[in-house]
Amino acid sequence: MPSLSLQVRRVRPGHPAPLPLPRYETALAAGLDLRADIDEARTLQPLERLAVPTGLAIALPPGYEGQVRPRSGLALKHGITLLNSPGTIDADYRGEVHAILVNLSQEPFTVNRGDRVAQLVVVPVSTVEIQEVAVLEVTRRGEGGFGSTGR
């Protein structure tokens, strides 16, 4: 499997104690865990959302994007997921990475400093050349969408 280099900058170096850098938790994991870089615990009430800072800015290689995705354990056990999922980090973005958490459960959920709140998956992207046409190629499915192929 080819390896890429991902440059990571701590947005608040030495604040208060540095959190571990993102890492793969297993040898074949697809996502790097992102942690909450917050000063104090934050409690999300049911249906509340919060942009949680990770304390990191990254430089992706050209031709790649970072996808910020939910963690399955938080979703299943606590009803915590991400809005705008997957969130896209473009290769030219240099600001701090955030995870937009939402509490879909009926119970409050507390996020603490250092909690793993999301995962980052780095994937190749394609760019396309736009070609305007008057008619699109006909397919069997046509304009059917939103469940048109069955359950």
PDB file of all heavy atoms in Angstrom, residues 56-86:
ATOM      1  N   LEU A  56      -5.670  21.096  15.139  1.00  0.00           N
ATOM      2  CA  LEU A  56      -4.758  20.750  14.054  1.00  0.00           C
ATOM      3  C   LEU A  56      -5.145  21.433  12.751  1.00  0.00           C
ATOM      4  O   LEU A  56      -6.322  21.572  12.432  1.00  0.00           O
ATOM      5  CB  LEU A  56      -4.767  19.240  13.816  1.00  0.00           C
ATOM      6  CG  LEU A  56      -4.431  18.348  15.002  1.00  0.00           C
ATOM      7  CD1 LEU A  56      -4.662  16.897  14.639  1.00  0.00           C
ATOM      8  CD2 LEU A  56      -3.006  18.586  15.456  1.00  0.00           C
ATOM      9  N   ALA A  57      -4.141  21.829  12.003  1.00  0.00           N
ATOM     10  CA  ALA A  57      -4.295  22.242  10.609  1.00  0.00           C
ATOM     11  C   ALA A  57      -3.438  21.273   9.807  1.00  0.00           C
ATOM     12  O   ALA A  57      -2.414  20.779  10.300  1.00  0.00           O
ATOM     13  CB  ALA A  57      -3.833  23.676  10.412  1.00  0.00           C
ATOM     14  N   ILE A  58      -3.867  20.964   8.592  1.00  0.00           N
ATOM     15  CA  ILE A  58      -3.148  19.970   7.791  1.00  0.00           C
ATOM     16  C   ILE A  58      -2.873  20.488   6.390  1.00  0.00           C
ATOM     17  O   ILE A  58      -3.531  21.418   5.920  1.00  0.00           O
ATOM     18  CB  ILE A  58      -3.924  18.628   7.713  1.00  0.00           C
ATOM     19  CG1 ILE A  58      -5.267  18.815   7.007  1.00  0.00           C
ATOM     20  CG2 ILE A  58      -4.110  18.036   9.099  1.00  0.00           C
ATOM     21  CD1 ILE A  58      -6.037  17.512   6.783  1.00  0.00           C
ATOM     22  N   ALA A  59      -1.890  19.889   5.747  1.00  0.00           N
ATOM     23  CA  ALA A  59      -1.584  20.167   4.342  1.00  0.00           C
ATOM     24  C   ALA A  59      -1.634  18.840   3.597  1.00  0.00           C
ATOM     25  O   ALA A  59      -0.732  18.006   3.724  1.00  0.00           O
ATOM     26  CB  ALA A  59      -0.209  20.814   4.202  1.00  0.00           C
ATOM     27  N   LEU A  60      -2.724  18.652   2.876  1.00  0.00           N
ATOM     28  CA  LEU A  60      -2.905  17.429   2.089  1.00  0.00           C
ATOM     29  C   LEU A  60      -2.134  17.531   0.780  1.00  0.00           C
ATOM     30  O   LEU A  60      -1.979  18.626   0.230  1.00  0.00           O
ATOM     31  CB  LEU A  60      -4.388  17.232   1.769  1.00  0.00           C
ATOM     32  CG  LEU A  60      -5.263  16.882   2.967  1.00  0.00           C
ATOM     33  CD1 LEU A  60      -6.693  17.297   2.735  1.00  0.00           C
ATOM     34  CD2 LEU A  60      -5.163  15.394   3.238  1.00  0.00           C
ATOM     35  N   PRO A  61      -1.671  16.410   0.254  1.00  0.00           N
ATOM     36  CA  PRO A  61      -1.006  16.446  -1.046  1.00  0.00           C
ATOM     37  C   PRO A  61      -2.008  16.841  -2.134  1.00  0.00           C
ATOM     38  O   PRO A  61      -3.199  16.524  -2.031  1.00  0.00           O
ATOM     39  CB  PRO A  61      -0.535  15.006  -1.258  1.00  0.00           C
ATOM     40  CG  PRO A  61      -0.659  14.323   0.050  1.00  0.00           C
ATOM     41  CD  PRO A  61      -1.688  15.068   0.836  1.00  0.00           C
ATOM     42  N   PRO A  62      -1.560  17.530  -3.190  1.00  0.00           N
ATOM     43  CA  PRO A  62      -2.448  17.841  -4.304  1.00  0.00           C
ATOM     44  C   PRO A  62      -3.082  16.554  -4.844  1.00  0.00           C
ATOM     45  O   PRO A  62      -2.436  15.509  -4.901  1.00  0.00           O
ATOM     46  CB  PRO A  62      -1.525  18.474  -5.347  1.00  0.00           C
ATOM     47  CG  PRO A  62      -0.368  18.990  -4.552  1.00  0.00           C
ATOM     48  CD  PRO A  62      -0.203  18.029  -3.402  1.00  0.00           C
ATOM     49  N   GLY A  63      -4.363  16.640  -5.207  1.00  0.00           N
ATOM     50  CA  GLY A  63      -5.063  15.480  -5.738  1.00  0.00           C
ATOM     51  C   GLY A  63      -5.719  14.619  -4.669  1.00  0.00           C
ATOM     52  O   GLY A  63      -6.238  13.553  -4.965  1.00  0.00           O
ATOM     53  N   TYR A  64      -5.699  15.097  -3.409  1.00  0.00           N
ATOM     54  CA  TYR A  64      -6.313  14.360  -2.299  1.00  0.00           C
ATOM     55  C   TYR A  64      -7.223  15.275  -1.505  1.00  0.00           C
ATOM     56  O   TYR A  64      -7.082  16.491  -1.535  1.00  0.00           O
ATOM     57  CB  TYR A  64      -5.231  13.782  -1.372  1.00  0.00           C
ATOM     58  CG  TYR A  64      -4.495  12.634  -1.995  1.00  0.00           C
ATOM     59  CD1 TYR A  64      -3.434  12.859  -2.859  1.00  0.00           C
ATOM     60  CD2 TYR A  64      -4.883  11.319  -1.748  1.00  0.00           C
ATOM     61  CE1 TYR A  64      -2.769  11.806  -3.459  1.00  0.00           C
ATOM     62  CE2 TYR A  64      -4.223  10.263  -2.348  1.00  0.00           C
ATOM     63  CZ  TYR A  64      -3.168  10.516  -3.199  1.00  0.00           C
ATOM     64  OH  TYR A  64      -2.517   9.467  -3.800  1.00  0.00           O
ATOM     65  N   GLU A  65      -8.159  14.663  -0.817  1.00  0.00           N
ATOM     66  CA  GLU A  65      -9.014  15.385   0.124  1.00  0.00           C
ATOM     67  C   GLU A  65      -9.010  14.635   1.443  1.00  0.00           C
ATOM     68  O   GLU A  65      -8.752  13.430   1.488  1.00  0.00           O
ATOM     69  CB  GLU A  65     -10.454  15.498  -0.385  1.00  0.00           C
ATOM     70  CG  GLU A  65     -11.210  14.184  -0.350  1.00  0.00           C
ATOM     71  CD  GLU A  65     -12.722  14.304  -0.395  1.00  0.00           C
ATOM     72  OE1 GLU A  65     -13.277  15.225   0.229  1.00  0.00           O
ATOM     73  OE2 GLU A  65     -13.336  13.462  -1.052  1.00  0.00           O
ATOM     74  N   GLY A  66      -9.321  15.350   2.497  1.00  0.00           N
ATOM     75  CA  GLY A  66      -9.523  14.725   3.783  1.00  0.00           C
ATOM     76  C   GLY A  66     -11.007  14.643   4.045  1.00  0.00           C
ATOM     77  O   GLY A  66     -11.721  15.640   3.881  1.00  0.00           O
ATOM     78  N   GLN A  67     -11.502  13.494   4.416  1.00  0.00           N
ATOM     79  CA  GLN A  67     -12.912  13.327   4.758  1.00  0.00           C
ATOM     80  C   GLN A  67     -13.018  13.140   6.265  1.00  0.00           C
ATOM     81  O   GLN A  67     -12.434  12.201   6.817  1.00  0.00           O
ATOM     82  CB  GLN A  67     -13.517  12.121   4.035  1.00  0.00           C
ATOM     83  CG  GLN A  67     -13.558  12.285   2.540  1.00  0.00           C
ATOM     84  CD  GLN A  67     -14.191  11.085   1.851  1.00  0.00           C
ATOM     85  OE1 GLN A  67     -14.491  10.061   2.460  1.00  0.00           O
ATOM     86  NE2 GLN A  67     -14.392  11.215   0.541  1.00  0.00           N
ATOM     87  N   VAL A  68     -13.741  14.044   6.919  1.00  0.00           N
ATOM     88  CA  VAL A  68     -13.972  13.939   8.355  1.00  0.00           C
ATOM     89  C   VAL A  68     -15.254  13.143   8.524  1.00  0.00           C
ATOM     90  O   VAL A  68     -16.320  13.562   8.069  1.00  0.00           O
ATOM     91  CB  VAL A  68     -14.074  15.326   9.014  1.00  0.00           C
ATOM     92  CG1 VAL A  68     -14.313  15.189  10.513  1.00  0.00           C
ATOM     93  CG2 VAL A  68     -12.807  16.133   8.744  1.00  0.00           C
ATOM     94  N   ARG A  69     -15.139  11.997   9.177  1.00  0.00           N
ATOM     95  CA  ARG A  69     -16.254  11.063   9.278  1.00  0.00           C
ATOM     96  C   ARG A  69     -16.569  10.742  10.736  1.00  0.00           C
ATOM     97  O   ARG A  69     -15.712  10.857  11.608  1.00  0.00           O
ATOM     98  CB  ARG A  69     -15.900   9.756   8.570  1.00  0.00           C
ATOM     99  CG  ARG A  69     -15.644   9.913   7.090  1.00  0.00           C
ATOM    100  CD  ARG A  69     -15.365   8.574   6.485  1.00  0.00           C
ATOM    101  NE  ARG A  69     -15.031   8.678   5.070  1.00  0.00           N
ATOM    102  CZ  ARG A  69     -14.838   7.638   4.297  1.00  0.00           C
ATOM    103  NH1 ARG A  69     -14.920   6.412   4.795  1.00  0.00           N
ATOM    104  NH2 ARG A  69     -14.547   7.794   3.029  1.00  0.00           N
ATOM    105  N   PRO A  70     -17.805  10.274  10.989  1.00  0.00           N
ATOM    106  CA  PRO A  70     -18.179   9.882  12.355  1.00  0.00           C
ATOM    107  C   PRO A  70     -17.409   8.651  12.821  1.00  0.00           C
ATOM    108  O   PRO A  70     -16.887   7.884  12.007  1.00  0.00           O
ATOM    109  CB  PRO A  70     -19.670   9.545  12.249  1.00  0.00           C
ATOM    110  CG  PRO A  70     -20.117  10.028  10.919  1.00  0.00           C
ATOM    111  CD  PRO A  70     -18.915  10.125  10.049  1.00  0.00           C
ATOM    112  N   ARG A  71     -17.379   8.471  14.112  1.00  0.00           N
ATOM    113  CA  ARG A  71     -16.836   7.243  14.708  1.00  0.00           C
ATOM    114  C   ARG A  71     -18.027   6.336  15.007  1.00  0.00           C
ATOM    115  O   ARG A  71     -18.989   6.750  15.657  1.00  0.00           O
ATOM    116  CB  ARG A  71     -16.050   7.558  15.973  1.00  0.00           C
ATOM    117  CG  ARG A  71     -14.810   8.409  15.668  1.00  0.00           C
ATOM    118  CD  ARG A  71     -13.848   8.498  16.821  1.00  0.00           C
ATOM    119  NE  ARG A  71     -13.270   7.185  17.074  1.00  0.00           N
ATOM    120  CZ  ARG A  71     -13.371   6.548  18.221  1.00  0.00           C
ATOM    121  NH1 ARG A  71     -14.021   7.068  19.243  1.00  0.00           N
ATOM    122  NH2 ARG A  71     -12.811   5.359  18.382  1.00  0.00           N
ATOM    123  N   SER A  72     -17.955   5.098  14.568  1.00  0.00           N
ATOM    124  CA  SER A  72     -19.095   4.188  14.682  1.00  0.00           C
ATOM    125  C   SER A  72     -19.471   3.903  16.135  1.00  0.00           C
ATOM    126  O   SER A  72     -20.654   3.777  16.461  1.00  0.00           O
ATOM    127  CB  SER A  72     -18.825   2.883  13.942  1.00  0.00           C
ATOM    128  OG  SER A  72     -17.668   2.246  14.455  1.00  0.00           O
ATOM    129  N   GLY A  73     -18.498   3.806  17.021  1.00  0.00           N
ATOM    130  CA  GLY A  73     -18.799   3.536  18.428  1.00  0.00           C
ATOM    131  C   GLY A  73     -19.593   4.652  19.075  1.00  0.00           C
ATOM    132  O   GLY A  73     -20.533   4.404  19.834  1.00  0.00           O
ATOM    133  N   LEU A  74     -19.245   5.910  18.766  1.00  0.00           N
ATOM    134  CA  LEU A  74     -20.007   7.042  19.307  1.00  0.00           C
ATOM    135  C   LEU A  74     -21.432   7.040  18.765  1.00  0.00           C
ATOM    136  O   LEU A  74     -22.378   7.343  19.482  1.00  0.00           O
ATOM    137  CB  LEU A  74     -19.334   8.377  18.956  1.00  0.00           C
ATOM    138  CG  LEU A  74     -18.073   8.751  19.714  1.00  0.00           C
ATOM    139  CD1 LEU A  74     -17.531  10.088  19.207  1.00  0.00           C
ATOM    140  CD2 LEU A  74     -18.338   8.820  21.208  1.00  0.00           C
ATOM    141  N   ALA A  75     -21.569   6.702  17.496  1.00  0.00           N
ATOM    142  CA  ALA A  75     -22.895   6.676  16.884  1.00  0.00           C
ATOM    143  C   ALA A  75     -23.778   5.602  17.507  1.00  0.00           C
ATOM    144  O   ALA A  75     -24.925   5.861  17.904  1.00  0.00           O
ATOM    145  CB  ALA A  75     -22.777   6.467  15.377  1.00  0.00           C
ATOM    146  N   LEU A  76     -23.250   4.392  17.626  1.00  0.00           N
ATOM    147  CA  LEU A  76     -24.045   3.283  18.136  1.00  0.00           C
ATOM    148  C   LEU A  76     -24.322   3.409  19.631  1.00  0.00           C
ATOM    149  O   LEU A  76     -25.459   3.264  20.073  1.00  0.00           O
ATOM    150  CB  LEU A  76     -23.338   1.943  17.863  1.00  0.00           C
ATOM    151  CG  LEU A  76     -24.041   0.706  18.401  1.00  0.00           C
ATOM    152  CD1 LEU A  76     -25.404   0.529  17.736  1.00  0.00           C
ATOM    153  CD2 LEU A  76     -23.174  -0.524  18.199  1.00  0.00           C
ATOM    154  N   LYS A  77     -23.294   3.693  20.400  1.00  0.00           N
ATOM    155  CA  LYS A  77     -23.436   3.692  21.861  1.00  0.00           C
ATOM    156  C   LYS A  77     -24.070   4.954  22.428  1.00  0.00           C
ATOM    157  O   LYS A  77     -24.718   4.907  23.472  1.00  0.00           O
ATOM    158  CB  LYS A  77     -22.067   3.482  22.515  1.00  0.00           C
ATOM    159  CG  LYS A  77     -21.454   2.132  22.210  1.00  0.00           C
ATOM    160  CD  LYS A  77     -20.043   2.039  22.763  1.00  0.00           C
ATOM    161  CE  LYS A  77     -19.391   0.736  22.340  1.00  0.00           C
ATOM    162  NZ  LYS A  77     -17.975   0.683  22.721  1.00  0.00           N
ATOM    163  N   HIS A  78     -23.871   6.100  21.732  1.00  0.00           N
ATOM    164  CA  HIS A  78     -24.311   7.372  22.319  1.00  0.00           C
ATOM    165  C   HIS A  78     -25.176   8.233  21.402  1.00  0.00           C
ATOM    166  O   HIS A  78     -25.616   9.303  21.818  1.00  0.00           O
ATOM    167  CB  HIS A  78     -23.090   8.189  22.756  1.00  0.00           C
ATOM    168  CG  HIS A  78     -22.205   7.464  23.710  1.00  0.00           C
ATOM    169  ND1 HIS A  78     -22.531   7.262  25.031  1.00  0.00           N
ATOM    170  CD2 HIS A  78     -20.990   6.871  23.520  1.00  0.00           C
ATOM    171  CE1 HIS A  78     -21.555   6.586  25.621  1.00  0.00           C
ATOM    172  NE2 HIS A  78     -20.625   6.327  24.730  1.00  0.00           N
ATOM    173  N   GLY A  79     -25.382   7.817  20.156  1.00  0.00           N
ATOM    174  CA  GLY A  79     -26.182   8.625  19.232  1.00  0.00           C
ATOM    175  C   GLY A  79     -25.465   9.882  18.782  1.00  0.00           C
ATOM    176  O   GLY A  79     -26.093  10.845  18.354  1.00  0.00           O
ATOM    177  N   ILE A  80     -24.134   9.888  18.839  1.00  0.00           N
ATOM    178  CA  ILE A  80     -23.339  11.049  18.439  1.00  0.00           C
ATOM    179  C   ILE A  80     -22.799  10.798  17.043  1.00  0.00           C
ATOM    180  O   ILE A  80     -22.142   9.788  16.782  1.00  0.00           O
ATOM    181  CB  ILE A  80     -22.167  11.289  19.415  1.00  0.00           C
ATOM    182  CG1 ILE A  80     -22.685  11.464  20.841  1.00  0.00           C
ATOM    183  CG2 ILE A  80     -21.321  12.479  18.970  1.00  0.00           C
ATOM    184  CD1 ILE A  80     -23.613  12.637  21.043  1.00  0.00           C
ATOM    185  N   THR A  81     -23.059  11.729  16.138  1.00  0.00           N
ATOM    186  CA  THR A  81     -22.563  11.606  14.778  1.00  0.00           C
ATOM    187  C   THR A  81     -22.110  12.982  14.308  1.00  0.00           C
ATOM    188  O   THR A  81     -22.053  13.932  15.091  1.00  0.00           O
ATOM    189  CB  THR A  81     -23.626  10.974  13.850  1.00  0.00           C
ATOM    190  OG1 THR A  81     -23.015  10.643  12.595  1.00  0.00           O
ATOM    191  CG2 THR A  81     -24.825  11.877  13.640  1.00  0.00           C
ATOM    192  N   LEU A  82     -21.790  13.096  13.023  1.00  0.00           N
ATOM    193  CA  LEU A  82     -21.313  14.354  12.463  1.00  0.00           C
ATOM    194  C   LEU A  82     -22.308  14.895  11.455  1.00  0.00           C
ATOM    195  O   LEU A  82     -22.834  14.143  10.637  1.00  0.00           O
ATOM    196  CB  LEU A  82     -19.967  14.164  11.757  1.00  0.00           C
ATOM    197  CG  LEU A  82     -18.798  13.665  12.579  1.00  0.00           C
ATOM    198  CD1 LEU A  82     -17.546  13.607  11.722  1.00  0.00           C
ATOM    199  CD2 LEU A  82     -18.561  14.537  13.784  1.00  0.00           C
ATOM    200  N   LEU A  83     -22.519  16.183  11.509  1.00  0.00           N
ATOM    201  CA  LEU A  83     -23.271  16.858  10.461  1.00  0.00           C
ATOM    202  C   LEU A  83     -22.302  17.108   9.309  1.00  0.00           C
ATOM    203  O   LEU A  83     -21.088  17.096   9.487  1.00  0.00           O
ATOM    204  CB  LEU A  83     -23.850  18.172  10.968  1.00  0.00           C
ATOM    205  CG  LEU A  83     -24.914  18.020  12.059  1.00  0.00           C
ATOM    206  CD1 LEU A  83     -25.370  19.390  12.550  1.00  0.00           C
ATOM    207  CD2 LEU A  83     -26.111  17.240  11.528  1.00  0.00           C
ATOM    208  N   ASN A  84     -22.846  17.327   8.121  1.00  0.00           N
ATOM    209  CA  ASN A  84     -22.011  17.553   6.947  1.00  0.00           C
ATOM    210  C   ASN A  84     -21.029  16.398   6.783  1.00  0.00           C
ATOM    211  O   ASN A  84     -19.835  16.594   6.619  1.00  0.00           O
ATOM    212  CB  ASN A  84     -21.248  18.889   7.071  1.00  0.00           C
ATOM    213  CG  ASN A  84     -20.581  19.271   5.776  1.00  0.00           C
ATOM    214  OD1 ASN A  84     -21.143  19.080   4.716  1.00  0.00           O
ATOM    215  ND2 ASN A  84     -19.382  19.807   5.857  1.00  0.00           N
ATOM    216  N   SER A  85     -21.566  15.188   6.858  1.00  0.00           N
ATOM    217  CA  SER A  85     -20.709  14.022   6.860  1.00  0.00           C
ATOM    218  C   SER A  85     -20.754  13.289   5.523  1.00  0.00           C
ATOM    219  O   SER A  85     -21.842  12.997   5.040  1.00  0.00           O
ATOM    220  CB  SER A  85     -21.152  13.075   7.971  1.00  0.00           C
ATOM    221  OG  SER A  85     -20.352  11.946   7.993  1.00  0.00           O
ATOM    222  N   PRO A  86     -19.616  12.998   4.905  1.00  0.00           N
ATOM    223  CA  PRO A  86     -18.317  13.384   5.412  1.00  0.00           C
ATOM    224  C   PRO A  86     -18.025  14.851   5.115  1.00  0.00           C
ATOM    225  O   PRO A  86     -18.381  15.369   4.066  1.00  0.00           O
ATOM    226  CB  PRO A  86     -17.339  12.491   4.661  1.00  0.00           C
ATOM    227  CG  PRO A  86     -18.021  12.186   3.368  1.00  0.00           C
ATOM    228  CD  PRO A  86     -19.497  12.186   3.679  1.00  0.00           C
TER     229      PRO A  86
END
